[in-house]
Amino acid sequence: MIIKKGLLFLLPAIFFRMTVFGQTASPKSQIPPLLQQFGEKFPQEKVHLHLDRNDHSSGDTLRFRAYVVNAQNNQFTDLSKVLYVDLLNSQDSRVIELRFPINDGGVSGWVALPDSMERGTYTLRAYTAWMRNFKPELFYHTSLKIGNPANSKQSIPRETKKTRNDELHNIQFFPEGGDLVNGITSVIAFKAIGSTGLGEDVSGTITDESGKVLSNFQSSFAGMGRFNLKPLQSHSYEANVRFKDGVTKKIILPAALPSGYALAVNNQDKANVIVQVMTSGLNTTEPVWLAAQANNKLISLTKLDLSGNQGSISMPKRTLPTGIVQFTLFNNLSEPKAERLVFIDRHDQLRLNAGTPKVSSTNSVIQIPIEATDQLANPVIANFSVAVVNRKTPVDSTTLTPSILSDLLLTSDLNGYIEYPNHYFKSREPQISLQLDNLMLTQGWRRFIWKDLLAGKFPDVSYPAQTQQTLSGTIQTGKGSTLPKQNVMLVSKGDSAFTIRTVTDSKGRFTFNLPDLQDQHQFSVIASTDSKDINVILDQFAPADSTGYVVKKELPNYAAQSPSNQPHTIKNGARQLNEVVVKSKKLSATEKAVAPSANFNGAGNANQIITYKDLNHCDNLEICLEGRLVGVYFRIKKDPFSHGYTKVPYSTSGLNKPMLFVLDGVPIQPGQISLNSIPAGNVQSIEVLRSGSLIAAYGLAGSGGVLVITTKKGGINYNEMDEPEDITVTSTPGVINFTYSGYQKYREFYVPKYPVTDVAKKASPETLLWNPVVKTDDRGQSVLEFPVSADVKNIALTIEGISGDGKIGYHYQEYAIK
């Protein structure tokens, strides 16, 4: 049996049996200590960025306040002290990489957007080094629109292989709990995707093999909805789907099991969550166990007797934390049989309010009082970040950057792109609660696989939590042997000169703990030895891999946002040509590796690129790639040629179809070849295509995702070593000189005492006020004060923050200035 949950899948249940102690342990004795151990050894961190605004232009300064918290209680982290911030373009390539010091769980930072940035939709991403040990979906992500007045027209994409419109539509069905079981009525949720890659309204009917209509269905929000179905033995079922644009499809529903468990959760009651367990065709003399956990912390483990083939439990919501709670059903052999995620809202977060603006008649300075209280109306003393933006017209709040509420409580625990996450928090209407439950049924997922936990297998920690900036590396001989107990010295050059000494460990490795360094610094690392046959090798700072998260949207044509980017005016009917800059660029090792690729989208246009450098010492492609490919999982299937077993790659967003292999430009249908039939030593590059715009070039055959594999062509020194990306290195034996990039310097947001009358600023939707740290007093109150010019008619105020006990506050409000 395979338990489906959202976009990830559990392995067959037979592998879940606990064998660590030579016998099967009961859930009561096994699950609580293992989950506690996992939570203590691998505390989860979350990051949220409050941005001053989400529409910018090249040359602007993007400002943010980062909140870094422990996932279990949303209190500020004391684990990590360094935050990484990346800006990715529409091809998932990093265009900006920065690092900031974390102080008391927060960062007040900024990102300078170069004047040369191309117009488009970018992804802003933030994470700690510790977070890299887990799935990149846990990173902070948000889409960011960046304009460029010198390139106001949308770029024309290169023509690719034409794809029929119906191939760009997708719908997936998710039985509640994981599986349909004959004779048991179950909820089936669905998620429909249109040609834009976003949710699309659909409607349709469910029919059996005779064509008899059993039910109708209609999506309610973001292409999601649900219907009920009671499958019967010897029957099959089909969904007849009509998309909003008229495209129709017939989809075979997941086959029902002849026997098994079904899990049903009713989360619509205000006071309780009601969980019902049903079974069919099984021996019910043995009990089952229902585990409830959130963020790796066990909340309850309840024993249920399924007399009459069913049992239920009512759990008071006051015993559950606000956020996503995961219910898992185990049989008496500790095998997980069904799972369901629910969102709990106890309405116990902070209440933030803003009063009526008061405009001074003498100097046009606005004052807005704000107040913070808890759920019992007690005043809250805390720090909040505040942004006030000039809005020409009111906007739909659901299109704004995800709030701290939706980010920390919702999207950080779900897989894939969540459309309009703020929508689920705008009111407490039953309709929105049901839409949020549809999201749980379709895009819910887990932080770990039960198989690994029950076997006592914990994640490998490749990235220790950083408490400060560090510099590390290895001392080796010319033949590659490491040198233990070797004296090593770090020498800083320039005005801030200092020296640090250390000794390599048993593996020849050294680590220097650096002071807080900002901007660029010149260093030398010197190995104290008279030998000429010695090398100093620095560890490369490699930013986190791209995630395939980027959602490519059409960028509406809007004017420049920054006065510095206003186009020059040319009179007398003349046309001003855009500046043309001719540059020569040295190709990177990755660009060289993918240059001969036959990728239909163009060499290197992929969600992820694996090169020969990543496959050093690799003998088995299946083993090397499993866990390395982002957004790709592997299923074990029988190889029809060798009659053994092979691992077949699937994209998490790939219509439940195996990925298409394209070997040196030749498409190979799934099943005709295995990864292990391709010698790893012959591979020059592998391009992973998962996004809709990238796989569209391969038509229906590539709708499950594509692996573009290019074998070695020669002309490359395959033994050449890459230089670290964030340091410029020159070296002699035993000495290495380099430039190190430290923390980004903090830049204050300037607020003038009086309104700015610069004509160039009047048309821009600029940030009027950005204060990353606004502290409320013992009454929970503070006052915002900033000037406005006469042309400002509408403003939008956003307040975000977290109290010391981990309660989250968010407030968005628009004002008309009179």
Side-chain angles (χ1 to χ4, degrees):
M1 181 187 75
I2 296 177
I3 300 178
K4 295 182 180 179
K5 193 62 204 157
L7 303 177
L8 296 185
F9 305 88
L10 289 175
L11 294 177
I14 190 171
F15 291 106
F16 288 91
R17 186 165 300 185
M18 177 65 177
T19 57
V20 175
F21 302 106
Q23 59 183 1
T24 301
S26 70
K28 184 177 180 180
S29 63
Q30 181 183 352
I31 293 175
L34 280 176
L35 198 55
Q36 180 179 358
Q37 184 182 4
F38 185 91
E40 292 174 351
K41 292 187 66 175
F42 304 98
Q44 303 294 313
E45 290 181 321
K46 293 183 178 181
V47 176
H48 169 73
L49 265 56
H50 177 192
L51 310 183
D52 64 332
R53 64 178 190 267
N54 62 347
D55 285 349
H56 288 79
S57 187
S58 57
D60 280 355
T61 297
L62 181 155
R63 295 173 175 86
F64 67 85
R65 175 67 181 178
Y67 296 88
V68 190
V69 301
N70 183 309
Q72 282 196 357
N73 51 29
N74 284 323
Q75 295 180 1
F76 293 116
T77 183
D78 56 4
L79 181 64
S80 296
K81 299 298 182 183
V82 181
L83 179 71
Y84 296 93
V85 176
D86 300 338
L87 189 66
L88 312 178
N89 62 18
S90 60
Q91 298 300 324
D92 251 0
S93 298
R94 284 174 291 271
V95 294
I96 294 178
E97 303 161 9
L98 300 171
R99 68 187 85 182
F100 299 86
I102 300 173
N103 297 311
D104 298 324
V107 173
S108 297
W110 59 277
V111 180
L113 304 177
D115 292 335
S116 59
M117 288 194 70
E118 294 184 0
R119 181 175 178 268
T121 300
Y122 291 75
T123 295
L124 187 68
R125 181 176 69 175
Y127 53 92
T128 66
W130 178 253
M131 292 170 66
R132 294 184 62 181
N133 295 301
F134 312 100
K135 295 184 178 295
E137 287 83 0
L138 299 177
F139 297 173
Y140 167 85
H141 300 88
T142 191
S143 294
L144 194 68
K145 296 177 181 177
I146 298 178
N148 189 322
N151 183 20
S152 60
K153 292 184 178 181
Q154 189 73 24
S155 59
I156 301 175
R158 184 178 67 88
E159 185 177 356
T160 58
K161 184 178 179 180
K162 293 184 178 180
T163 305
R164 295 199 319 270
N165 191 37
D166 61 341
E167 294 179 0
L168 299 177
H169 293 73
N170 172 28
I171 185 169
Q172 291 179 285
F173 295 89
F174 305 93
E176 183 177 19
D179 286 296
L180 293 173
V181 181
N182 282 334
I184 300 178
T185 301
S186 295
V187 169
I188 300 179
F190 60 86
K191 171 74 174 182
I193 301 295
S195 58
T196 62
L198 301 177
E200 181 171 319
D201 288 339
V202 295
S203 61
T205 60
I206 303 299
T207 59
D208 61 14
E209 72 284 352
S210 68
K212 179 182 178 181
V213 176
L214 304 178
S215 64
N216 300 302
F217 62 87
Q218 172 76 49
S219 60
S220 61
F221 179 74
M224 294 178 291
R226 66 173 71 192
F227 57 88
N228 294 336
L229 179 67
K230 182 178 181 179
L232 300 175
Q233 187 175 359
S234 302
H235 287 266
S236 61
Y237 304 93
E238 184 177 67
N240 304 279
V241 187
R242 175 176 290 276
F243 287 81
K244 184 178 180 180
D245 59 4
V247 172
T248 60
K249 283 194 171 185
K250 293 182 180 294
I251 306 293
I252 302 298
L253 294 184
L257 300 176
S259 62
Y261 297 91
L263 187 65
V265 178
N266 181 356
N267 190 29
Q268 301 307 303
D269 185 81
K270 292 184 178 180
N272 302 288
V273 176
I274 302 170
V275 183
Q276 186 177 14
V277 180
M278 298 155 286
T279 183
S280 175
L282 296 176
N283 183 354
T284 59
T285 58
E286 291 187 342
V288 293
W289 299 79
L290 184 69
Q293 65 97 2
N295 291 306
N296 303 342
K297 183 177 181 180
L298 184 66
I299 302 168
S300 65
L301 183 63
T302 306
K303 181 179 179 181
L304 289 174
D305 293 315
L306 300 183
S307 57
N309 293 327
Q310 63 179 351
S312 64
I313 181 175
S314 179
M315 300 187 66
K317 290 187 176 180
R318 67 175 183 274
T319 65
L320 303 172
T322 292
I324 294 178
V325 176
Q326 176 179 319
F327 290 98
T328 307
L329 180 70
F330 295 88
N331 64 11
N332 208 37
L333 299 177
S334 296
E335 296 171 340
K337 294 298 183 180
E339 189 167 83
R340 172 76 146 87
L341 302 189
V342 298
F343 188 89
I344 303 298
D345 189 357
R346 294 175 52 187
H347 310 299
D348 57 348
Q349 303 304 304
L350 300 182
R351 272 67 166 169
L352 302 183
N353 293 291
T356 303
K358 297 180 180 179
V359 183
S360 170
S361 58
T362 57
N363 56 11
S364 298
V365 172
I366 286 184
Q367 290 185 336
I368 303 179
I370 63 173
E371 182 181 39
T373 62
D374 62 15
Q375 65 183 115
L376 300 177
N378 298 312
V380 171
I381 302 175
N383 293 331
F384 299 91
S385 50
V386 177
V388 180
V389 178
N390 176 17
R391 292 286 187 197
K392 293 183 178 180
T393 57
V395 298
D396 182 357
S397 61
T398 60
T399 65
L400 298 175
T401 299
S403 72
I404 191 172
L405 273 175
S406 62
D407 205 353
L408 295 184
L409 297 180
L410 181 66
T411 59
S412 58
D413 286 321
L414 293 178
N415 189 30
Y417 177 75
I418 310 301
E419 301 172 49
Y420 314 121
N422 295 347
H423 168 81
Y424 303 104
F425 295 86
K426 69 179 184 180
S427 76
R428 300 177 183 178
E429 297 176 2
Q431 180 182 0
I432 291 182
S433 177
L434 188 62
Q435 292 168 355
L436 178 55
D437 201 47
N438 289 338
L439 182 68
M440 296 296 101
L441 286 166
T442 56
Q443 290 189 240
W445 72 295
R446 72 202 81 256
R447 289 184 180 276
F448 53 87
I449 300 297
W450 279 111
K451 172 183 74 74
D452 295 336
L453 181 67
L454 297 177
K457 180 182 177 182
F458 292 156
D460 294 328
V461 175
S462 302
Y463 305 95
Q466 285 184 289
T467 57
Q468 64 186 104
Q469 293 181 91
T470 61
L471 182 71
S472 58
T474 307
I475 304 298
Q476 295 182 353
T477 66
K479 295 182 179 180
S481 301
T482 58
L483 293 175
K485 298 183 180 180
Q486 176 70 48
N487 292 321
V488 189
M489 181 169 56
L490 175 71
V491 179
S492 171
K493 303 176 182 180
D495 297 335
S496 57
F498 59 86
T499 301
I500 305 175
R501 291 180 173 84
T502 189
V503 178
T504 58
D505 61 16
S506 60
K507 298 181 180 179
R509 292 191 52 77
F510 62 86
T511 300
F512 293 109
N513 292 325
L514 303 177
D516 286 347
L517 299 176
Q518 295 181 335
D519 294 335
Q520 293 188 340
H521 291 262
Q522 301 294 322
F523 285 110
S524 293
V525 173
I526 304 171
S528 301
T529 177
D530 295 331
S531 174
K532 295 183 179 179
D533 186 26
I534 189 171
N535 292 319
V536 179
I537 300 175
L538 295 181
D539 291 340
Q540 175 180 337
F541 168 70
D545 292 334
S546 296
T547 63
Y549 174 89
V550 172
V551 175
K552 302 174 181 61
K553 300 179 183 178
E554 287 293 321
L555 182 66
N557 189 7
Y558 62 95
Q561 308 297 324
S562 171
S564 62
N565 282 326
Q566 297 296 327
H568 299 289
T569 300
I570 304 296
K571 298 182 179 180
N572 301 325
R575 291 183 59 197
Q576 180 186 15
L577 299 180
N578 292 336
E579 179 184 10
V580 177
V581 180
V582 179
K583 295 181 179 180
S584 176
K585 177 184 176 184
K586 179 183 178 181
L587 294 179
S588 67
T590 299
E591 290 171 328
K592 290 179 182 178
V594 299
S597 165
N599 185 345
F600 285 167
N601 301 284
N605 290 321
N607 297 118
Q608 184 184 1
I609 298 174
I610 301 294
T611 73
Y612 60 91
K613 290 180 178 292
D614 303 306
L615 301 176
N616 283 337
H617 312 295
C618 176
D619 297 321
N620 183 307
L621 267 185
E622 290 178 358
I623 294 176
C624 296
L625 296 181
E626 186 175 18
R628 184 188 291 267
L629 302 186
V630 178
V632 175
Y633 63 97
F634 286 74
R635 291 184 185 175
I636 299 176
K637 291 194 174 183
K638 192 169 183 178
D639 190 333
F641 303 101
S642 67
H643 302 292
Y645 289 88
T646 185
K647 293 183 178 180
V648 180
Y650 286 73
S651 169
T652 56
S653 56
L655 303 177
N656 201 25
K657 293 177 57 177
M659 301 184 76
L660 174 71
F661 294 168
V662 178
L663 182 61
D664 290 334
V666 179
I668 301 174
Q669 294 300 324
Q672 295 182 355
I673 191 174
S674 68
L675 281 174
N676 280 344
S677 64
I678 305 172
N682 291 348
V683 174
Q684 181 160 305
S685 69
I686 299 176
E687 296 162 273
V688 184
L689 313 182
R690 297 187 296 104
S691 300
S693 60
L694 294 176
I695 64 176
Y698 292 88
L700 185 60
S703 59
V706 183
L707 292 183
V708 181
I709 304 172
T710 304
T711 57
K712 291 180 177 178
K713 307 300 179 185
I716 292 180
N717 180 6
Y718 293 103
N719 297 317
E720 184 183 30
M721 295 299 294
D722 278 338
E723 291 182 352
E725 293 181 8
D726 72 333
I727 55 180
T728 302
V729 180
T730 60
S731 64
T732 57
V735 179
I736 190 166
N737 305 305
F738 60 94
T739 302
Y740 176 86
S741 297
Y743 291 138
Q744 183 85 331
K745 279 186 177 180
Y746 177 66
R747 178 186 291 181
E748 291 281 353
F749 178 80
Y750 173 67
V751 180
K753 293 183 179 181
Y754 300 99
V756 176
T757 58
D758 184 355
V759 175
K761 276 185 171 287
K762 288 186 176 182
S764 19
E766 74 274 8
T767 302
L768 301 175
L769 173 68
W770 169 251
N771 192 337
V773 182
V774 174
K775 186 173 183 178
T776 52
D777 58 22
D778 55 3
R779 298 174 300 168
Q781 298 177 353
S782 185
V783 177
L784 308 176
E785 187 173 281
F786 57 96
V788 293
S789 55
D791 63 298
V792 175
K793 303 300 181 183
N794 295 282
I795 63 173
L797 166 69
T798 306
I799 309 173
E800 296 189 346
I802 304 177
S803 64
D805 60 352
K807 300 302 181 184
I808 301 171
Y810 171 77
H811 180 75
Y812 176 83
Q813 189 168 346
E814 294 186 8
Y815 297 97
I817 304 301
K818 300 179 180 179

